[in-house]
Amino acid sequence: MADKSVRLGDLLKNVQGGMLLMKAVRIYGKGDIRIEDVAIADPADDEVQIKVKDCGICGSDLHAFLEGWGLPTQPHPITGKTVPITLGHEFSGQVVKVGSGVDDLAVGDLVAVEPLIACGRCANCRAGNYNFCNKALAKDGAGNFLGFSQDGGMAEYANVQDVFAHKLPEGMSPELGAVCEPAAVAFEALKKSGLRAGQTVAVIGAGPIGLVTALLARIAGATRVFISDVSEVRLDQARKLGFKDILNPAQVDVNAVIREGVPDGVDVSFECAGVQPTFDTALKVTKRTGIVQIVALYGHSVNINITDDLIMQGIDVITTLCYNNSFPKVLEIINKHRDEFQSIVTKRIGLDDALEDGIKTLATDKTQVKILISPEI
């Protein structure tokens, strides 16, 4: 008797190509997301095919839906893809097929996917800075990610390059594997900032990336971690994670309160919101000769007095984009702090609910930190 847990879609074949049909969340452009059955080919020689277990919804997915941000409207220089694209870049899964050239992964392995698109041959790629791949620059501004310029993880299956599929530590759940991508964003920011144990930190913006940044700063040995946000709901999430120095700029003077505890200002501030007021706050609360580490992406230009705010204060403003060579380290950190990272997963839904209960909910419900989509639900 057939296993009733096997989806009908798993049994169907594309008549023309002999390819598996699967359910996927597809974006066609601004405001246009559809749940569809699509075909997936066998993995290429350097790829593995994974059965997706969990895929997180990111703020950038929300921007893609609301604004059409980051989507390929003309063939991407590396993938050649244009919309429609299968969304999703924060995902994990189990290997079900292995390309002929892959020798370090096997069927059954659980992996977290590093979703970058890179040529592997340009000067930046060869230097290890593949997040700045020179050939991945698209004229239309399309993102160099799976889920933007190549099909991603909001689907039952996905093909990914083996070098970007990282084995999960023994016993780690696929849910935590899906958390690795946003944690890697925060880890890269800590790495770029040079944060050291014993230093003090301010995290400006308590959204998902801000909360993960605060978690990693605490794990890295920061002696005080101040968190600022105008949303009490988000600050409550920070309190649930055990943070004590919680500040709402609508209620207190954030700079004054921080300097009561740290008179010279914090060693490193992490700007995780991406707007002028939070950028200004990050500058104010940082000590002379300190670091303002930009984590957020900005939708608009910001104003800054280079002489007075930076040169005369000796403050360095550092930016970061994505991550490189970080996933194995981040997976080990998550593995050692499973409960803390599990607590940022606030909702888990199926593919059919991805738009209404996922992307749209993330836009309005500030109690949500990380919503995961599981094709198995």
Side-chain angles (χ1 to χ4, degrees), residues 33-262:
I33 286 178
R34 310 174 197 178
I35 315 295
E36 299 179 325
D37 282 334
V38 298
I40 183 168
D42 285 336
D45 291 348
D46 64 346
E47 292 180 333
V48 294
Q49 184 173 107
I50 68 169
K51 182 175 174 59
V52 177
K53 295 290 186 179
D54 287 283
C55 182
I57 303 174
C58 177
S60 58
D61 297 321
L62 181 61
H63 286 298
F65 173 64
L66 295 176
E67 305 154 16
W69 179 86
L71 298 175
T73 57
Q74 52 188 278
H76 186 269
I78 290 180
T79 69
K81 297 278 284 187
T82 60
V83 288
I85 292 286
T86 299
L87 280 171
H89 60 276
E90 302 179 355
F91 63 107
S92 64
Q94 188 167 34
V95 176
V96 294
K97 291 183 181 181
V98 177
S100 61
V102 177
D103 58 12
D104 56 344
L105 292 170
V107 171
D109 287 341
L110 289 173
V111 297
V113 176
E114 183 176 359
L116 288 179
I117 296 169
C119 74
R121 297 180 298 276
C122 71
N124 280 343
C125 283
R126 293 198 306 271
N129 299 315
Y130 53 88
N131 50 326
F132 289 99
C133 173
N134 290 322
K135 293 187 178 180
L137 287 170
K139 293 180 180 178
D140 59 359
N144 59 322
F145 279 87
L146 305 186
F148 285 90
S149 295
Q150 180 60 281
D151 291 330
M154 289 189 195
E156 293 178 281
Y157 297 89
N159 290 333
V160 299
Q161 284 186 282
D162 66 317
V163 295
F164 288 140
H166 302 274
K167 286 185 186 180
L168 300 189
E170 186 71 27
M172 179 185 282
S173 71
E175 287 185 44
L176 288 176
V179 172
C180 184
E181 197 279 342
V185 171
F187 181 83
E188 189 74 13
L190 265 71
K191 187 168 70 175
K192 290 288 290 287
S193 75
L195 179 69
R196 300 186 301 278
Q199 291 188 315
T200 54
V201 162
V203 176
I204 314 301
I209 291 296
L211 291 175
V212 174
T213 300
L215 271 178
L216 287 175
R218 185 169 67 190
I219 291 168
T223 54
R224 294 193 72 170
V225 180
F226 298 90
I227 301 178
S228 171
D229 201 291
V230 294
S231 169
E232 277 299 319
V233 175
R234 285 183 166 173
L235 293 178
D236 282 341
Q237 295 294 336
R239 293 184 182 97
K240 290 177 183 178
L241 290 169
F243 291 98
K244 305 298 183 184
D245 293 311
I246 305 297
L247 306 170
N248 188 329
Q251 299 174 6
V252 300
D253 183 330
V254 171
N255 184 42
V257 173
I258 287 178
R259 289 178 183 272
E260 286 177 6
V262 187

Side-chain angles (χ1 to χ4, degrees), residues 18 70 72 94 100 116 123 235 247 259 309 320 331 339 355 357 377:
Q94 188 167 34
S100 61
L116 288 179
L235 293 178
L247 306 170
R259 289 178 183 272
D309 293 338
T320 188
L331 284 170
D339 290 343
L355 181 56
D357 294 342
I377 293 178

